[in-house]
Coordinates of all heavy atoms in Angstrom, one line a residue:
S38 N -16.2 0.6 11.9 CA -14.7 0.6 11.5 C -14.4 -0.6 10.6 O -13.5 -0.5 9.8 CB -13.9 0.4 12.8 OG -14.1 1.4 13.7
Y41 N -14.1 -0.8 6.5 CA -13.0 -0.3 5.7 C -11.8 -1.3 5.6 O -10.7 -1.1 6.1 CB -12.4 1.0 6.3 CG -13.5 2.1 6.3 CD1 -14.3 2.2 7.4 CD2 -13.6 2.9 5.3 CE1 -15.3 3.2 7.4 CE2 -14.6 3.9 5.3 CZ -15.4 4.1 6.3 OH -16.4 5.0 6.3
S46 N -12.6 0.4 1.6 CA -12.0 1.7 1.4 C -12.1 2.2 0.0 O -12.3 3.4 -0.3 CB -10.5 1.7 1.9 OG -10.4 1.5 3.2
F49 N -15.6 3.3 -0.6 CA -15.8 4.6 0.0 C -15.3 5.7 -0.8 O -16.0 6.8 -1.0 CB -15.2 4.7 1.4 CG -15.5 6.0 2.1 CD1 -16.7 6.4 2.6 CD2 -14.5 7.0 2.1 CE1 -17.0 7.6 3.1 CE2 -14.7 8.2 2.7 CZ -16.0 8.6 3.1
T53 N -17.5 9.0 -2.3 CA -17.2 10.5 -2.1 C -17.4 11.3 -3.4 O -17.5 12.5 -3.3 CB -15.8 10.7 -1.6 OG1 -14.8 10.2 -2.6 CG2 -15.5 10.0 -0.3
T61 N -18.4 15.1 1.0 CA -16.9 15.3 0.6 C -16.7 16.5 -0.2 O -15.8 17.3 0.0 CB -16.4 14.0 -0.1 OG1 -16.7 12.9 0.7 CG2 -14.9 14.1 -0.3
E64 N -17.0 19.6 2.1 CA -15.9 19.8 2.9 C -14.7 20.2 2.1 O -13.9 21.1 2.5 CB -15.6 18.5 3.7 CG -14.5 18.8 4.7 CD -14.3 17.7 5.8 OE1 -14.4 16.5 5.4 OE2 -14.1 18.0 7.0
E87 N -3.8 13.4 11.6 CA -5.2 13.2 11.1 C -5.7 11.9 11.5 O -5.2 10.8 11.3 CB -5.2 13.4 9.5 CG -6.7 13.2 9.0 CD -6.9 13.6 7.6 OE1 -5.9 13.9 6.9 OE2 -8.1 13.7 7.2
L88 N -6.9 11.9 12.1 CA -7.6 10.7 12.6 C -8.5 10.2 11.4 O -9.3 10.9 10.9 CB -8.5 11.0 13.7 CG -7.8 11.6 15.0 CD1 -8.8 12.2 15.9 CD2 -7.0 10.5 15.6
G89 N -8.4 8.9 11.1 CA -9.2 8.3 10.0 C -9.0 9.1 8.7 O -10.0 9.5 8.1
S90 N -7.7 9.2 8.3 CA -7.4 10.1 7.1 C -8.0 9.5 5.9 O -8.2 10.3 4.9 CB -5.9 10.1 7.0 OG -5.4 8.8 6.7
G91 N -8.2 8.2 5.8 CA -8.6 7.6 4.5 C -7.4 8.0 3.5 O -6.3 8.0 3.9
K95 N -8.8 15.5 0.6 CA -9.1 16.9 0.9 C -8.1 17.6 1.8 O -8.0 18.8 1.8 CB -10.4 16.9 1.8 CG -11.7 16.6 1.1 CD -12.8 16.4 2.0 CE -12.8 15.0 2.6 NZ -13.1 14.8 4.0
I114 N -3.5 8.8 10.5 CA -3.8 7.6 11.3 C -5.0 6.9 10.6 O -6.1 7.6 10.5 CB -4.1 7.9 12.7 CG1 -3.0 8.6 13.4 CG2 -4.6 6.7 13.5 CD1 -3.3 9.2 14.8
D115 N -4.9 5.6 10.3 CA -6.1 4.9 9.8 C -6.0 3.4 10.1 O -4.9 2.9 10.1 CB -6.3 5.2 8.3 CG -7.7 5.0 7.9 OD1 -8.3 3.9 7.9 OD2 -8.3 6.1 7.5
I116 N -7.1 2.8 10.3 CA -7.2 1.4 10.6 C -7.1 0.6 9.3 O -6.7 -0.6 9.2 CB -8.5 1.1 11.3 CG1 -8.5 -0.3 12.0 CG2 -9.7 1.1 10.3 CD1 -9.7 -0.5 12.9
S117 N -7.3 1.3 8.1 CA -7.2 0.7 6.8 C -5.8 0.9 6.2 O -5.5 2.0 5.8 CB -8.3 1.2 5.9 OG -8.0 0.9 4.6
A120 N -6.0 2.3 2.6 CA -6.3 3.7 2.5 C -5.1 4.5 2.8 O -4.7 5.5 2.1 CB -7.5 4.1 3.4
A141 N -3.3 2.2 12.7 CA -3.8 1.9 14.1 C -5.2 2.4 14.3 O -5.7 3.2 13.4 CB -2.8 2.5 15.1
T142 N -5.8 2.1 15.4 CA -7.0 2.8 15.8 C -6.7 4.2 16.3 O -5.6 4.5 16.6 CB -7.8 2.0 16.9 OG1 -6.9 1.8 18.0 CG2 -8.2 0.6 16.3
Y143 N -7.8 5.0 16.4 CA -7.6 6.4 16.6 C -6.7 6.7 17.8 O -5.7 7.4 17.7 CB -8.9 7.1 16.9 CG -10.0 7.0 15.8 CD1 -11.3 6.6 16.1 CD2 -9.7 7.3 14.5 CE1 -12.2 6.5 15.1 CE2 -10.6 7.2 13.5 CZ -11.9 6.8 13.8 OH -12.8 6.7 12.8
L165 N -11.8 14.8 10.1 CA -12.6 15.3 9.0 C -13.7 14.3 8.5 O -13.8 13.2 9.1 CB -11.7 15.7 7.8 CG -10.5 16.6 8.1 CD1 -9.7 16.9 6.9 CD2 -11.0 17.9 8.7
G166 N -14.4 14.7 7.5 CA -15.3 13.7 6.8 C -16.6 13.4 7.6 O -17.3 12.5 7.3
T168 N -16.6 11.9 10.3 CA -16.5 10.6 10.9 C -16.9 10.6 12.4 O -17.3 9.6 12.9 CB -15.0 10.1 10.7 OG1 -14.7 10.2 9.4 CG2 -14.9 8.6 11.2
N171 N -20.1 8.9 13.4 CA -20.3 7.5 13.6 C -20.5 7.2 15.1 O -21.0 6.1 15.5 CB -19.1 6.7 13.2 CG -18.9 6.6 11.7 OD1 -17.8 6.4 11.1 ND2 -20.0 6.9 10.9
Ligands
LIG1 C1 -15.8 8.1 6.7 S1 -14.2 7.7 6.3 C2 -13.5 9.3 6.2 C3 -12.2 9.3 5.4 C4 -11.6 10.7 5.2 N1 -11.3 11.3 6.5 C5 -12.6 11.6 4.5 O1 -13.0 12.6 5.1 O2 -13.0 11.3 3.3 C6 -13.6 7.1 7.8 C7 -12.1 6.7 7.8 O3 -11.7 6.3 9.2 C8 -11.1 5.1 9.2 N2 -11.5 4.5 10.5 C9 -12.7 4.0 10.9 N3 -12.7 3.6 12.2 C10 -11.4 3.8 12.6 C11 -10.7 3.6 13.9 N4 -11.4 3.0 14.9 N5 -9.4 3.9 14.0 C12 -8.8 4.4 12.9 N6 -9.3 4.7 11.7 C13 -10.6 4.3 11.6 C14 -11.6 4.3 8.1 O4 -10.7 3.3 7.6 C15 -11.8 5.4 7.0 O5 -10.7 5.6 6.2

Side-chain angles (χ1 to χ4, degrees):
S38 301
Y41 297 91
S46 293
F49 178 74
T53 65
T61 308
E64 185 168 43
E87 180 166 10
L88 301 168
S90 62
K95 286 170 278 140
I114 298 169
D115 207 290
I116 200 171
S117 164
T142 55
Y143 303 129
L165 307 179
T168 308
N171 291 161

